[in-house]
Amino acid sequence: METAFTPWLSLGGGMMIGASAVLLMATNGRIAGISGLTSRIFARSTDGEARSVSALFVLGLLLAAPLWLLLSGEWPQQWVPSSPVLMAAAGLLVGFGAVFGSGCTSGHGVCGISRGSARSIVATIVFMSAAIATVLVTRHLI
Amino acid sequence: MKQIFALLSGLIFGLGLIISGMANPAKVLNFLDLFGSWDPSLAFVMGGGILVTAPGYAWLTRARSRPFFDSKFRIPQKSDLEPKLILGAAIFGTGWGLGGFCPGPALTALPIAATGTLIFVPFMLIGMWAARHAPDKPFALKGATQ
């Protein structure tokens, strides 16, 4: 499925993500890494305050699309792969890999690179390469 | 106060994901499809994010010794490129390439309730739970000394 190239909307949306990351660091002193915040909600080691802050950030994420619906009258446009087996496997790999590797697109790709972390730069190169290779295999080789 | 700002940050983050197109797996998969229907848009999402976050973080840590409503900045201190980091990133990237969802967009898209999202998110949470409870050294026996 073709999608339109949207440089300005994507840049603007990306800058909002950056603004959110700076706001969270300025007020709460935390990295806006979604896999870290989400998994901290149910991690044993989390103290109550970290848990409530993480849960509220995730609640904010969950409220974004309904707010969009309220303001624009329609859900954001999307197409999601529907194969149950594929999506179950993808979910497991994403959830496990992101937490095991200490971060995902947000924690490593935006926040980590922004503070010049070598770990995050390496992790981003690795997950980007793995994702590109996976799409190459699923779309062009099988 | 910090709780209100955590909620607000999440909301802004989610709206940014929607506006940028990142909450749409079709767009993510096309970004990753360098050799097919390539859509470079998502490079602009990451670029825009870094464009704001890098100077923002630099300013914060220079101008302030602590956050406005908390006691300290929690910046990861690890610097070693351990196998766990590489392995985790490779596993994560493979799943990202299969479904077109990473954690933020999947949670943001959850209320839209597409079938694929409703399957992806619970399995993602199971995966996260498993990684949180996995031992750092998978082959070390419990209680064994080094």
Side-chain angles (χ1 to χ4, degrees), chain A residues 39-104:
Chain A
S39 64
R40 214 161 282 137
I41 297 173
F42 48 78
R44 265 194 240 114
S45 54
T46 313
D47 60 88
E49 197 175 76
R51 185 167 286 133
S52 75
V53 163
S54 304
L56 282 163
F57 184 95
V58 171
L59 179 65
L61 272 185
L62 292 169
L63 289 176
L67 178 66
W68 181 274
L69 174 68
L70 207 67
L71 297 177
S72 74
E74 55 189 17
W75 287 113
Q77 268 199 347
Q78 61 165 194
W79 171 86
V80 185
S82 58
S83 155
V85 177
L86 177 105
M87 291 311 273
L92 272 181
L93 293 171
V94 164
F96 184 87
V99 171
F100 198 69
S102 308
C104 55

Side-chain angles (χ1 to χ4, degrees), chain B:
Chain B
M1 206 55 171
K2 60 199 285 189
Q3 276 86 2
I4 294 171
F5 277 105
L7 180 73
L8 189 64
S9 301
L11 191 62
I12 296 171
F13 200 106
L15 290 172
L17 285 172
I18 292 170
I19 290 169
S20 67
M22 193 117 185
N24 178 3
K27 226 167 151 55
V28 174
L29 292 171
N30 281 343
F31 170 68
L32 297 170
D33 192 2
L34 296 185
F35 310 98
S37 49
W38 192 45
D39 174 357
S41 304
L42 295 198
F44 290 75
V45 184
M46 198 176 268
I50 295 169
L51 207 63
V52 173
T53 310
Y57 275 7
W59 168 76
L60 270 177
T61 44
R62 198 165 355 98
R64 298 194 52 94
S65 56
R66 62 186 195 89
F68 287 92
F69 307 110
D70 208 319
S71 56
K72 60 174 194 285
F73 292 116
R74 294 173 186 81
I75 310 283
Q77 299 299 330
K78 274 190 181 175
S79 61
D80 54 325
L81 299 171
E82 50 187 355
K84 196 178 175 216
L85 176 84
I86 315 285
L87 184 64
I91 294 172
F92 161 56
T94 305
W96 192 33
L98 281 180
F101 268 142
C102 49
L107 291 169
T108 303
L110 187 62
I112 306 171
T115 310
T117 317
L118 294 178
I119 296 167
F120 183 93
V121 170
F123 278 93
M124 177 182 86
L125 296 176
I126 293 170
M128 286 180 170
W129 182 88
R132 273 276 171 190
H133 294 82
D136 272 353
K137 294 186 173 62
F139 305 110
L141 288 170
K142 236 184 185 163
T145 47
Q146 295 269 311

